[in-house]
Amino acid sequence: MKPHFHKVPIPTRTSFSIRHDKDSGFGTVWHYHPELELHYLIKGRGVRFIGDNISNFSDGELILMGENLPHTWRVEEGTNNASVEVIIIHFLPHCLGSDLLLLPEAYQIPKLYEKAKRGLLVKGEAKEKIIQLMHSAVNAQNLDRLIALLSILKILAETGDYETIASAHAFYKSNDSETLRLNKIYAYTLSNYRSDITLQDVASIANLGITSFCRYFKLMTKKTYNDFLVEIRISQACRLLIEDKMATEVICFECGFNNVSNFYRHFKKVTDMTPLEYKRKYLYKTAPELV
């Protein structure tokens, strides 16, 4: 999907940006920027889009995104930005000086930057250490600020406790009209995925005929609109499964599927698990005694 270029504001007399947001505009348009982004979600839930990956997000996620990796977050329907809290660090690859990356002692940092181009979901002990450093870095000044960033990069470069989020892919820079059109499609799908969305419905949102829309969407996203819609519905189903408040058959219809066997088939295709296997895997991670 063609993302919108975003100019990250870097405060004057600083080499990188760090901010603690509690009620600002979270969930911007589908965008990219040359800065790497370390994103700690203190509070919030919804759906995130990173590269070609669509997943739910919830409290406590720590993600490192590489330069020019397209992304956006959309808060859960019925909530607002006031219910989201994040700490975000933006920094250019050479923000600490180009020579730093050439030093033999720093050989792991360029490797980290390369891995981050697919997005890294950081876990375990490394995550906990980085979160503490991010909190302290928010109010740090002068050399303490640089030391905090270097300490964070050291942990990220040395840990293997992460999951890669997106697959390797290319994308094209967009103009404003393309950005507006794609975000209309996004917004319409997220608001209506429970309903029976037809190609005519979504094509009219994009001001295109059905054939032109199908060709356009496949060119922009490398997937069909139906595949995109199914991924949205399955991501919502995953969230409802781990909340464990509805029967699987009810979740099927709640997420826009009108046939249980069809729901099971799509769920298996997207997650490589059955709904029951997915639910058990989550319950085992959070409360082994319940399984």
Side-chain angles (χ1 to χ4, degrees):
M1 186 173 292
K2 292 185 177 181
H4 177 67
F5 175 80
H6 174 61
K7 178 67 174 71
V8 174
I10 304 293
T12 57
R13 297 181 177 274
T14 62
S15 54
F16 64 95
S17 165
I18 179 167
R19 68 179 199 267
H20 185 179
D21 291 345
K22 295 184 179 180
D23 57 1
S24 64
F26 185 83
T28 58
V29 297
W30 177 244
H31 69 284
Y32 70 98
H33 41 71
E35 294 84 1
L36 287 89
E37 179 175 326
L38 184 61
H39 190 111
Y40 170 44
L41 183 76
I42 300 172
K43 181 177 67 172
R45 59 191 303 169
V47 180
R48 57 171 162 79
F49 302 77
I50 299 177
D52 58 1
N53 177 269
I54 304 171
S55 299
N56 293 295
F57 68 83
S58 58
D59 300 357
E61 275 196 351
L62 179 65
I63 292 175
L64 176 66
M65 291 175 287
E67 50 192 302
N68 297 322
L69 177 62
H71 58 277
T72 190
W73 272 254
R74 297 296 174 93
V75 296
E76 186 177 78
E77 189 174 326
T79 62
N80 54 53
N81 287 332
S83 61
V84 177
E85 183 177 358
V86 293
I87 297 178
I88 301 174
I89 298 178
H90 287 111
F91 60 99
L92 288 166
H94 300 95
C95 74
L96 299 178
S98 300
D99 291 342
L100 173 68
L101 301 182
L102 300 177
L103 297 175
E105 293 88 349
Y107 75 95
Q108 290 174 309
I109 295 181
K111 292 183 178 181
L112 169 67
Y113 291 172
E114 190 62 32
K115 290 186 292 185
K117 289 180 179 179
R118 297 175 60 183
L120 305 178
L121 178 63
V122 186
K123 300 182 173 184
E125 186 178 349
K127 171 185 167 182
E128 299 308 316
K129 290 180 178 179
I130 291 170
I131 288 172
Q132 292 180 19
L133 286 166
M134 292 181 75
H135 276 291
S136 64
V138 170
N139 297 313
Q141 300 291 326
N142 303 322
L143 283 175
D144 287 336
R145 203 167 180 272
L146 296 179
I147 291 169
L149 179 59
L150 274 172
S151 299
I152 289 170
L153 290 177
K154 178 180 184 296
I155 295 170
L156 287 169
E158 293 178 349
T159 188
D161 203 357
Y162 62 82
E163 289 181 8
T164 302
I165 297 173
S167 62
H169 69 288
F171 64 90
Y172 301 91
K173 298 178 182 179
S174 68
N175 58 40
D176 289 342
S177 62
E178 288 173 337
T179 299
L180 180 61
R181 174 180 282 171
L182 288 167
N183 276 283
K184 282 183 177 179
I185 296 169
Y186 256 23
Y188 181 82
T189 305
L190 287 168
S191 297
N192 296 278
Y193 67 88
R194 294 186 183 91
S195 305
D196 185 17
I197 300 176
T198 66
L199 284 175
Q200 179 63 57
D201 293 334
V202 73
S204 64
I205 295 296
N207 294 317
L208 294 170
I210 293 177
T211 302
S212 296
F213 169 77
C214 291
R215 188 185 307 117
Y216 167 80
F217 196 84
K218 185 67 179 288
L219 177 65
M220 297 297 105
T221 67
K222 312 304 180 188
K223 65 182 73 174
T224 67
Y225 178 76
N226 184 63
D227 288 340
F228 173 73
L229 177 59
V230 166
E231 288 178 5
I232 293 291
R233 287 171 169 167
I234 294 300
S235 72
Q236 298 296 333
C238 288
R239 177 177 60 81
L240 293 174
L241 282 167
I242 62 179
E243 286 180 352
D244 200 21
K245 295 179 180 178
M246 299 180 184
T248 301
E249 290 74 17
V250 176
I251 291 173
C252 160
F253 296 102
E254 179 68 20
C255 293
F257 294 96
N258 53 19
N259 180 285
V260 174
S261 61
N262 194 37
F263 167 65
Y264 273 75
R265 179 172 60 84
H266 283 302
F267 196 96
K268 179 75 172 180
K269 182 179 179 181
V270 172
T271 68
D272 202 29
M273 289 181 280
T274 67
L276 181 59
E277 288 170 340
Y278 183 90
K279 191 172 181 179
R280 282 178 172 170
K281 180 180 179 182
Y282 176 82
L283 289 175
Y284 180 74
K285 285 182 176 179
T286 56
E289 71 276 4
L290 298 179
V291 180

